[in-house]
């Protein structure tokens, strides 16, 4: 997934940070977020996060000891779980408002398995633009992370 990005990092003509970030968003993140409304709650989502974190490290040139939250801030790319949440909310909003959407007017049925939750039941619609929602969720996550770091034992 990030093989092409590695080639750009190692070359003279493609190593501009803006080019690397754009390439990562268009190739790696679009692949990593494909159909995320269906699989975002999967236990295997962390495996996708690892590949996206490697991508962020390639963009910034940071080494593994650098905390992932710092690398994401340097890239200007929200964490994968937040990006998946916003993409799922966008899908839910489309489902509720777009007459052409295949799930328009769909009512959720009872779940056959207690462990499975339909994204239409667990997701809220967007109340603002996806970009603003992503920024708000990211700020909230950063506040929670910082409060945990500085909490007295």
């Amino acid at each position: 997934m990030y093989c092409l990005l590695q080639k750009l990092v190692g070359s003279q003509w493609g190593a501009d940070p803006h080019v690397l970030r754009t390439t990562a968003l268009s190739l790696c993140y679009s692949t990593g977020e494909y159909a995320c409304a269906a699989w975002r709650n999967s236990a295997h989502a962390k495996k996708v996060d690892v590949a996206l974190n490697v991508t962020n490290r390639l963009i910034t040139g940071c080494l593994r000891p650098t905390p992932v939250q710092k690398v994401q801030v340097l890239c200007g790319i929200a964490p994968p779980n937040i990006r998946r949440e916003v993409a799922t909310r966008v899908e839910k909003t489309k489902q509720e408002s777009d007459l052409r959407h295949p799930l328009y007017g769909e009512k959720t049925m009872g779940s056959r398995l207690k462990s499975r939750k339909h994204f239409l039941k667990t997701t809220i619609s967007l109340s603002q633009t996806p970009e603003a929602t992503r920024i708000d969720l990211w700020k909230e996550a950063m506040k929670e992370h910082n409060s945990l770091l500085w909490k007295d034992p």
Side-chain angles (χ1 to χ4, degrees):
M1 181 161 59
Y2 44 82
C3 186
L4 180 61
L5 195 61
Q6 285 177 323
K7 299 287 185 192
L8 286 174
V9 168
S11 68
Q12 293 294 323
W13 54 270
D16 179 57
H18 180 70
V19 171
L20 295 175
R21 183 179 185 276
T22 304
T23 304
L25 285 171
S26 61
L27 295 177
C28 301
Y29 274 85
S30 63
T31 304
E33 294 171 356
Y34 179 74
C36 64
W39 59 265
R40 72 180 173 112
N41 291 329
S42 169
H44 303 291
K46 296 287 183 197
K47 292 181 181 180
V48 175
D49 292 353
V50 170
L52 295 176
N53 291 337
V54 169
T55 300
N56 288 342
R57 290 185 193 286
L58 285 173
I59 294 169
T60 60
C62 293
L63 301 175
R64 287 193 57 143
T66 309
V68 175
Q69 293 82 10
K70 304 282 185 190
V71 175
Q72 291 163 345
V73 170
L74 286 172
C75 287
I77 300 174
N81 62 332
I82 291 174
R83 293 181 62 89
R84 282 193 295 269
E85 175 65 28
V86 172
T88 304
R89 289 184 185 186
V90 167
E91 195 64 35
K92 168 85 172 186
T93 304
K94 287 180 186 177
Q95 180 263 336
E96 292 177 340
S97 60
D98 189 359
L99 295 170
R100 299 168 297 166
H101 196 279
L103 292 177
Y104 179 77
E106 182 75 21
K107 303 294 181 208
T108 58
M109 296 175 55
S111 179
R112 291 183 291 166
L113 300 171
K114 291 181 182 179
S115 63
R116 301 292 180 237
K117 305 215 178 349
H118 198 284
F119 93 95
L120 295 178
K121 288 184 179 179
T122 60
T123 306
I124 59 173
S125 299
L126 285 175
S127 57
Q128 53 189 358
T129 65
E131 294 81 15
T133 303
R134 188 179 305 120
I135 290 169
D136 290 346
L137 289 173
W138 196 5
K139 285 179 183 178
E140 188 178 307
M142 292 294 287
K143 284 180 187 176
E144 289 176 16
H145 178 73
N146 289 337
S147 68
L148 290 175
L149 286 177
W150 300 106
K151 195 174 198 178
D152 290 331

